[in-house]
């Protein structure tokens, strides 16, 4: 199956899923969660920097989706809509907390560049520069950058 037809099939499936959510079918919302929660969690984790905050924001994202079932438009893709809700929830948390972002602890522990200590040191320095640059950004441009870089949205 080509990438284009695969994309159309997923779009059609999402339309059907949105319709099922609008009709409040019991398994529809669960399917939406299972399909989109991993990506949304990764986005929120990068945006908020803390696992617990990302988990709270993910839960709030789906609570808002659940409350918005009626106005869901089956003609519009669900993924960008969910990312937008997650972004708004995450930015709201950042504004309330007035915290700077900390990237995943996993990034700091990771040893990029293989076994070459010089390359690993250079890579860590680059990561630190990126971390500092992201932390210096306001929540709005930070989330836009993360959405573009990690989720391919423009």
């Amino acid at each position: 199956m080509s990438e284009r037809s695969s994309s159309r099939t997923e779009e059609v499936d999402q339309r059907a899923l949105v319709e099922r959510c609008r009709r409040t079918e019991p398994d529809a919302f669960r399917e939406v969660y299972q399909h989109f929660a991993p990506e949304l969690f990764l986005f929120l984790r990068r945006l908020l920097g803390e696992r617990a905050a990302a988990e709270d924001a993910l839960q709030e994202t789906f609570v808002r989706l659940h409350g918005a079932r009626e106005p869901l438009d089956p003609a519009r893709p669900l993924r960008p809509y969910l990312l937008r809700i997650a972004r708004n929830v995450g930015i709201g948390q950042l504004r309330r907390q007035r915290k700077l972002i900390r990237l995943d602890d996993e990034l700091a522990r990771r040893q990029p560049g293989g076994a070459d200590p010089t390359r690993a040191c250079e890579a860590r320095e680059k990561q630190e520069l990126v971390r500092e640059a992201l932390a210096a950004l306001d929540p709005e441009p930070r989330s836009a950058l993360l959405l573009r870089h990690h989720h391919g949205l423009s």
Side-chain angles (χ1 to χ4, degrees), residues 48 90-101 135 138-139 142:
L48 300 171
I91 287 175
Q93 278 192 10
L94 287 172
R95 286 184 179 150
R96 282 189 301 277
Q97 296 170 356
R98 304 268 184 221
K99 288 175 100 174
L100 294 177
I101 190 170
D138 288 331
R142 180 184 320 141

Side-chain angles (χ1 to χ4, degrees), residues 94-142:
L94 287 172
R95 286 184 179 150
R96 282 189 301 277
Q97 296 170 356
R98 304 268 184 221
K99 288 175 100 174
L100 294 177
I101 190 170
R102 285 186 347 223
L103 289 182
D104 291 343
D105 296 337
E106 192 174 288
L107 279 177
R109 288 189 300 244
R110 206 178 294 163
Q111 289 271 341
D116 182 2
T118 304
R119 294 179 95 190
C121 183
E122 289 171 355
R124 278 194 300 275
E125 287 174 0
K126 285 180 186 177
Q127 282 180 353
E128 185 58 32
L129 288 172
V130 170
R131 213 178 344 291
E132 288 172 7
L134 279 172
L137 292 174
D138 288 331
E140 294 280 336
R142 180 184 320 141

Side-chain angles (χ1 to χ4, degrees), residues 18-46:
V18 168
E19 281 295 338
R20 290 176 51 218
C21 283
R22 289 180 64 163
R23 290 191 306 261
T24 66
E25 290 183 21
D27 290 336
F29 193 74
R30 180 185 355 253
E31 287 178 40
V32 170
Y33 182 87
Q34 289 172 341
H35 185 75
F36 292 103
E39 179 182 10
L40 295 172
F41 177 76
L42 288 174
F43 168 69
L44 290 164
R45 176 82 160 111
R46 288 179 182 122

